[in-house]
Amino acid sequence: MEIYSLKYWPVHFICVGMIAAAVIDWWKFKVPNKLTFPLIFSGWALGLCNNFGLGAGADGIGGGIGAALAGTFLGLALLLPIYAIGGMGAGDVKMTMGFGSWIGAFYGFGSAEPLTPNGMWIIAYAFCAGTIVGGVIALGMIMIRGQYRQNMQNVREIVGDLVQSSSIGEVADKANSRRPRWHRLPYGVPLCIGFIGSLIYLYGI
């Protein structure tokens, strides 16, 4: 399969980076800046090199720095609301920004000739897949622990905060105050599954 060729080394690289982030998150409940920031910045560097003719892309050209930045900030925009209500940590957000940076740099905004997918759609689909996987894992944790009333109370508090709070900062502060009562889910794991799973689906592996 073409996906295994050297041409796709940026995809291989970011998949390894996502696996590393998921393993660390599972182990320490934290994705370190020492991993996430290099992923983000190196994706931008790849996009910039494509602007100067490197040609590291699915279409033989690749996305430039603009597509890499767009992918980064799309990843931020998708996860920022979940982060604001305490659903995940900042490391998970930066992990997704790193994924967006590399996918944007490699796929760009897509092309008709040769036909290549739009990197922004890949990022969005990967986010949706990761969210679904995270929901399934969280539901399994709830069923195993059986603390249905406590979880329903948490949901009511979150919805109340979203309706009554005057700013995102206030929502985040209230979410952080509740965090010690929550059962923690290393969200880097479902995000990784969603990211890599979406690429597997894309290439029909």
Side-chain angles (χ1 to χ4, degrees):
M1 276 190 172
E2 188 182 17
I3 185 64
Y4 297 120
S5 68
L6 189 59
K7 169 185 173 181
Y8 285 85
W9 70 265
V11 175
H12 306 156
F13 179 87
I14 194 58
C15 284
V16 171
M18 294 299 98
I19 292 171
V23 170
I24 295 172
D25 198 20
W26 180 273
W27 177 30
K28 293 190 173 182
F29 284 94
K30 183 178 182 179
V31 184
N33 289 336
K34 291 180 180 179
L35 175 61
T36 55
F37 280 126
L39 285 175
I40 295 170
F41 296 146
S42 59
W44 294 354
L46 177 64
L48 188 61
C49 289
N50 281 339
N51 282 132
F52 287 95
L54 177 63
D59 57 357
I61 301 173
I65 182 65
L69 288 170
T72 302
F73 289 106
L74 176 58
L76 171 64
L78 289 170
L79 266 69
L80 191 59
I82 303 175
Y83 170 72
I85 63 174
M88 62 178 58
D92 301 317
V93 178
K94 287 176 280 190
M95 171 184 174
T96 305
M97 293 171 67
F99 178 80
S101 174
W102 275 81
I103 293 299
F106 183 73
Y107 289 99
F109 298 106
S111 65
E113 191 63 41
L115 182 62
T116 55
N118 187 322
M120 304 306 112
W121 280 111
I122 295 175
I123 297 165
Y125 289 146
F127 161 77
C128 292
T131 302
I132 292 170
V133 172
V136 171
I137 294 175
L139 183 60
M141 292 171 63
I142 292 171
M143 294 176 66
I144 290 171
R145 293 189 170 98
Q147 296 177 337
Y148 302 107
R149 288 186 179 179
Q150 180 62 53
N151 284 283
M152 287 302 299
Q153 178 62 29
N154 289 336
V155 171
R156 283 194 291 268
E157 290 180 3
I158 291 171
V159 173
D161 291 347
L162 292 173
V163 173
Q164 299 171 9
S165 299
S166 58
S167 67
I168 291 292
E170 186 179 350
V171 174
D173 290 340
K174 291 179 178 179
N176 286 328
S177 68
R178 286 193 302 270
R179 189 177 291 272
R181 309 199 314 262
W182 290 4
H183 295 298
R184 300 174 68 185
L185 168 63
Y187 219 91
V189 175
L191 287 175
C192 176
I193 295 172
F195 295 160
I196 297 179
S198 65
L199 293 172
I200 291 173
Y201 177 79
L202 176 65
Y203 289 99
I205 301 173

